[in-house]
Structure formats: structure tokens, C-alpha cells
């Protein structure tokens, strides 16, 4: 049984939660409006593959298997998941695993949640080459944190950074969530605690200025090389003169708390199925939080094609790494420090299967019969794919034309 593909094994819901299954899904939107969107906006081949994967996730087109209970003899069919990182149905177990893995490599010190946000004036620059923009954004965030760590405390700090690209209404809104320890390594190789009584780690205004200066310098150099600087000069001037937002929340009591808090952000996608209210012949309506009005839940209605256009803005470049570790939390640094500094050594858990880990972390037994709750499900038949999924959009585009 393949059970590492989502919150639960492919093709069925967590027992007791069947009634909470959303009426509409992103897959419904893709199947209904995908051909029209592709014909109008011509997304690249990778974006088309992502849309196709989401549209056939946990359907007969991906194949699956049939199971039977050894107690009540009830049968069920479980279809395979797409496992795509942009799919809202395939992230639950990945998120739980990531949180546990990070906790095992986290120092037992206070941590801060810091969010670096890019002003919307730079969205146009981002769309010129999103892969370059996001890569530089990561680099500038880490350089800013590292610079203040050295200048204020004389330590090599660390960070775990997660990229998000969306706002609540699916607009482009690049920002990076970071967890930063209130400790670092001195030049002598010792662990030094930093911070101001848990209230703040670095002065937010100073951190914002450093972040703005470094990112704007990188953008200007890039545009000059491409002979686009004069064209975007007014836009860059407006971005420089605007206050930049770097939000640093007070540290939480334990490292576990802030890691689990960040875990809520790691495997999110641009929009979940639960937020979709309705899908009709032309439009898609979904809920969003209006932070300008006290974070009230409000409906937003977009045409199906516009919904997919915005959604595709948040499909990350192929193989782009959206979760990164730096400094004392990088894989290389951690391997070197484990031997030299006992305080930085991590614990290792016993080996277990994916199914055992899901049961331990999420309380869900993937083998338990959902009907009698006593028996164990056994696989009795493999269900092959109905057809190759790669031709989905090619067929629909021809029909549309």
C-alpha cells in the first residue's frame, strides 16, 4: 500500500471524516477550464504537466489497487496520488514528516519566526524570471540575517527558510518565512545565546533596511545586464522609497513550538480545496481572509480562466527548492559540528515504515478497515492506469480549437 502520498493513503478519506470532503476541488476547475486557459495563455510545458497531475490525482487514470478486509470482507478501491508538491491532497503526511525531521536537528534554544516580504511593486520584475528572483530572494534573506548575526553578536547564526508566493486572493505576493535560533557559533567554536529577553532578535528597522538594500542592488545589476534598467527605473524608485516589511514575532517558549508553527507553512499550496465555494460554467468562487478588514472571511469570484492564470503564477520552477537551511542548520555544517560539539548532536529515531510513521504521528492506521474498524485491509488486485496522463492537454487543446 502506498501511504506516503498525502494526509491518508491514496483514494480514500480518514475514517470519520468522510462528510468533510469538499464539494469542489482544484481538479474540477482544471478539468472544466484547463483547455480554455491553455489556449489563451499558453503556459509552459512544466505548468501543463502540473495541472494535468492535479486533475487526475486519485482517479482511475493513475491506477491503484483493490483491497479486502479480513474480518468483514468489505472491499474498497484506492487510487494512486499524483504526489505533486502543488497538489492540496498530497501534502499532509509530508508536512508531519518534515516537522519531526526538523525537530530532530533543532537546537534546544528559543527560536524566532521572521517573515521577509517583497513589496508588490517588484512583482513585475519577479515575473521576468521567477527562478532567478526567488533564488536571489533566498540569498538576500540569508545574507541579511548572517550580517546582523556577525555585526551585533559576533556569531554564525542559522535559519530554516520557506518560500511562499501567494496572497489570500491568489495574487502574486513573494515572501519567505524563517525560523532563526536565538543562538549561534562564535569564532572559537562555542555556542552563544543571543537575543533580547525573548522580545526580539534583531532590530526590525535595521533588518528591513539591510534586506531592502541588498535585494535592490541585485535587481538593479540584473536589469542593467539585460539593458532593462531605464525601462524599470521608475518602478525601482517607487520600491526603494516604500517602507519594506520584515516581521519578527517574539520567541516562543520551546523550539518545538516554533517548528510546529512553521510547519503550518511548509507544505501549503496556493489554495486548498476547502476554500473553494462553488464552480459554475464560467466562474470560481472561493473564500479569502481580508486582512485590511480584521481578517474577515469573504468570498472572491474569478472566471475559471483567471483562477488558473493566478494559480499558475505559484507553480514553482521545475526542481526549485522552496525549503532551505543555512548556517549552523545547513546539512554540511551540522555534520561537522555533531562530532566537535556535544550540544549540537542530534538524536536518531529507530527505523520504521511509512505506514507506521503515519500511525504514530497522525493517529491514522492505513491498514485498518474503515467499515468494521477491527479488520485489516489486504491487497487483492492491482488496477493499472486507464491511459497515459501525458496527452490530456494535447487532446483538449485540439478539441477546443
Amino acid at each position: 500500500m502506498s501511504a506516503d502520498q498525502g494526509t491518508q493513503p491514496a483514494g480514500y478519506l480518514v475514517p470519520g471524516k468522510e462528510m468533510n470532503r469538499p464539494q469542489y476541488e482544484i481538479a474540477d476547475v482544471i478539468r472544466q477550464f484547463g483547455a480554455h486557459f491553455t489556449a489563451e495563455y499558453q503556459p509552459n510545458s512544466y505548468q501543463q504537466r502540473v495541472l494535468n497531475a492535479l486533475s487526475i490525482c486519485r482517479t482511475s487514470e493513475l491506477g491503484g489497487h483493490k483491497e479486502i478486509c479480513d474480518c468483514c470482507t468489505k472491499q474498497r478501491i484506492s487510487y494512486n496520488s499524483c504526489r505533486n508538491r502543488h497538489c492540496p491532497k498530497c501534502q499532509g503526511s509530508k508536512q508531519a514528516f518534515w516537522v519531526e525531521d526538523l525537530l530532530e536537528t533543532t537546537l534546544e534554544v528559543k527560536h524566532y519566526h521572521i517573515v521577509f516580504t517583497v513589496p508588490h511593486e517588484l512583482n513585475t520584475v519577479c515575473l521576468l524570471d521567477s527562478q532567478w528572483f526567488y533564488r536571489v530572494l533566498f540569498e538576500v534573506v540569508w545574507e541579511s540575517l548572517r550580517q546582523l548575526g556577525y555585526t551585533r553578536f559576533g556569531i554564525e547564526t542559522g535559519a530554516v527558510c520557506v518560500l511562499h508566493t501567494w496572497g489570500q486572493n491568489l495574487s502574486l505576493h513573494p515572501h519567505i518565512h524563517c525560523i532563526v535560533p536565538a543562538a549561534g557559533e562564535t569564532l572559537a567554536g562555542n555556542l552563544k545565546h543571543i537575543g533580547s529577553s525573548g522580545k526580539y532578535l534583531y532590530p526590525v528597522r535595521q533588518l528591513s533596511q539591510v534586506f531592502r538594500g541588498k535585494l535592490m542592488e541585485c535587481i538593479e545589476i540584473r536589469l542593467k545586464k539585460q539593458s532593462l534598467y531605464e525601462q524599470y527605473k521608475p518602478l525601482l524608485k517607487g520600491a526603494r522609497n516604500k517602507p519594506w516589511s520584515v516581521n519578527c514575532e517574539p520567541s516562543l517558549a520551546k523550539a518545538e513550538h516554533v517548528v510546529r508553527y512553521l510547519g503550518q507553512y511548509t507544505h501549503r499550496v496556493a489554495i486548498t480545496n476547502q476554500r473553494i465555494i462553488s464552480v459554475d460554467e464560467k466562474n470560481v468562487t472561493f473564500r479569502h481572509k481580508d486582512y485590511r478588514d480584521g481578517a474577515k472571511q469573504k468570498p472572491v469570484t474569478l472566471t475559471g480562466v483567471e483562477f488558473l492564470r493566478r494559480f499558475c503564477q505559484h507553480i514553482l520552477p521545475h526542481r526549485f527548492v522552496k525549503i532551505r537551511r543555512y548556517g549552523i542548520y545547513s546539512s554540511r555544517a551540522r555534520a561537522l559540528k555533531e562530532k566537535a560539539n556535544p550540544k549540537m548532536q542530534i538524536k536518531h529515531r529507530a527505523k520504521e515504515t511509512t505506514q507506521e510513521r503515519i500511525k504514530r504521528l497522525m493517529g491514522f492506521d492505513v491498514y485498518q478497515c474503515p467499515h468494521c474498524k477491527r479488520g485489516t485491509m489486504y491487497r487483492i488486485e492491482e488496477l493499472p492506469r486507464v491511459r497515459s496522463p501525458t496527452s490530456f492537454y494535447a487532446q483538449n487543446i485540439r478539441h477546443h480549437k
Side-chain angles (χ1 to χ4, degrees):
M1 179 182 295
S2 178
D4 59 342
Q5 302 169 345
T7 304
Q8 57 278 340
Y12 59 94
L13 301 174
V14 175
K17 295 186 178 181
E18 288 83 354
M19 298 304 294
N20 294 329
R21 183 172 182 175
Q23 182 179 0
Y24 301 100
E25 298 183 348
I26 293 176
D28 300 322
V29 181
I30 297 172
R31 285 191 288 265
Q32 183 166 339
F33 302 103
H36 297 272
F37 164 73
T38 303
E40 182 172 347
Y41 287 99
Q42 299 180 345
N44 60 49
S45 60
Y46 177 66
Q47 291 174 331
Q48 292 185 41
R49 293 202 304 271
V50 171
L51 293 178
N52 184 57
L54 270 57
S55 70
I56 62 177
C57 181
R58 299 183 185 177
T59 68
S60 60
E61 296 184 45
L62 287 182
H65 53 267
K66 184 183 294 186
E67 300 169 320
I68 188 171
C69 176
D70 63 357
C71 182
C72 66
T73 69
K74 289 283 189 179
Q75 297 185 12
R76 71 179 176 191
I77 295 177
S78 297
Y79 294 119
N80 294 328
S81 297
C82 66
R83 301 194 186 191
N84 192 282
R85 63 175 173 173
H86 300 94
C87 179
K89 294 186 288 188
C90 297
Q91 307 305 313
S93 60
K94 293 180 182 179
Q95 178 175 318
F97 293 172
W98 183 88
V99 168
E100 184 179 45
D101 291 340
L102 182 58
L103 283 173
E104 292 181 350
T105 59
T106 300
L107 297 174
E108 290 298 326
V109 298
K110 292 180 179 179
H111 284 70
Y112 292 80
H113 179 206
I114 305 178
V115 184
F116 292 81
T117 303
V118 177
H120 71 272
E121 284 85 355
L122 296 180
N123 287 352
T124 304
V125 178
C126 175
L127 292 174
L128 291 175
D129 187 346
S130 60
Q131 184 168 14
W132 173 86
F133 189 88
Y134 297 147
R135 176 179 59 81
V136 168
L137 186 58
F138 268 114
E139 293 174 357
V140 168
V141 165
W142 168 237
E143 288 173 4
S144 301
L145 291 171
R146 191 182 192 190
Q147 177 176 318
L148 266 69
Y150 273 112
T151 57
R152 294 187 63 83
F153 301 107
I155 54 96
E156 168 78 355
T157 184
V160 180
C161 304
V162 181
L163 171 67
H164 275 189
T165 64
W166 57 84
Q168 278 282 308
N169 61 356
L170 286 183
S171 60
L172 186 62
H173 180 58
H175 56 286
I176 290 183
H177 294 265
C178 309
I179 57 170
V180 183
E185 185 181 14
T186 65
L187 295 176
N190 300 318
L191 191 65
K192 177 182 178 180
H193 291 267
I194 61 175
S196 179
S197 303
K199 296 180 181 179
Y200 67 92
L201 186 61
Y202 306 123
V204 173
R205 182 174 297 179
Q206 183 180 4
L207 187 59
S208 300
Q209 292 174 348
V210 173
F211 172 56
R212 176 179 58 187
K214 290 181 178 294
L215 183 57
M216 292 302 298
E217 181 181 7
C218 291
I219 292 175
E220 289 174 359
I221 293 174
R222 173 78 170 183
L223 292 178
K224 287 178 180 178
K225 288 182 178 180
Q226 297 178 329
S227 301
L228 296 173
Y229 179 74
E230 292 300 324
Q231 177 181 345
Y232 289 93
K233 188 175 181 179
L235 182 148
L236 299 180
K237 182 178 180 181
R240 271 194 177 277
N241 294 333
K242 185 176 182 178
W244 286 39
S245 174
V246 175
N247 180 40
C248 181
E249 299 182 5
S251 67
L252 301 178
K254 295 181 179 180
E256 179 180 0
H257 294 162
V258 72
V259 170
R260 294 193 183 280
Y261 181 73
L262 182 67
Q264 302 175 52
Y265 298 92
T266 54
H267 292 82
R268 281 186 182 178
V269 296
I271 184 171
T272 62
N273 291 329
Q274 286 73 15
R275 287 177 55 196
I276 300 178
I277 300 173
S278 65
V279 180
D280 57 33
E281 295 180 356
K282 294 183 179 180
N283 301 317
V284 178
T285 301
F286 60 94
R287 299 182 186 89
H288 86 295
K289 290 182 181 179
D290 187 351
Y291 290 105
R292 296 181 179 179
D293 191 13
K296 292 182 180 179
Q297 294 274 357
K298 296 182 179 180
V300 176
T301 299
L302 302 174
T303 65
V305 171
E306 173 62 15
F307 179 94
L308 291 181
R309 185 195 70 81
R310 294 193 185 188
F311 183 82
C312 282
Q313 286 184 334
H314 312 298
I315 295 178
L316 295 176
H318 186 44
R319 295 184 176 178
F320 186 86
V321 181
K322 73 169 186 176
I323 304 176
R324 306 190 181 193
R325 304 187 185 199
Y326 296 97
I328 61 176
Y329 277 162
S330 66
S331 299
R332 180 177 179 275
R334 189 170 65 250
L336 295 175
K337 304 296 187 298
E338 274 191 295
K339 298 179 180 179
N341 192 338
K343 294 182 179 179
M344 290 189 176
Q345 288 192 4
I346 63 173
K347 54 187 176 182
H348 298 277
R349 65 174 178 272
K351 291 185 178 180
E352 57 186 344
T353 65
T354 300
Q355 293 80 11
E356 291 172 342
R357 198 176 182 191
I358 289 177
K359 183 177 181 179
R360 176 172 57 82
L361 293 176
M362 309 178 71
F364 175 57
D365 187 353
V366 299
Y367 294 120
Q368 184 185 60
C369 175
H371 301 285
C372 68
K373 312 295 185 183
R374 298 188 305 273
T376 300
M377 303 300 294
Y378 288 93
R379 185 177 304 187
I380 58 175
E381 182 183 352
E382 292 289 337
L383 303 176
R385 288 186 174 186
V386 173
R387 59 177 174 80
S388 174
T390 57
S391 60
F392 176 80
Y393 275 105
Q395 292 176 354
N396 280 277
I397 292 172
R398 287 196 293 268
H399 292 326
H400 177 70
K401 290 182 178 179

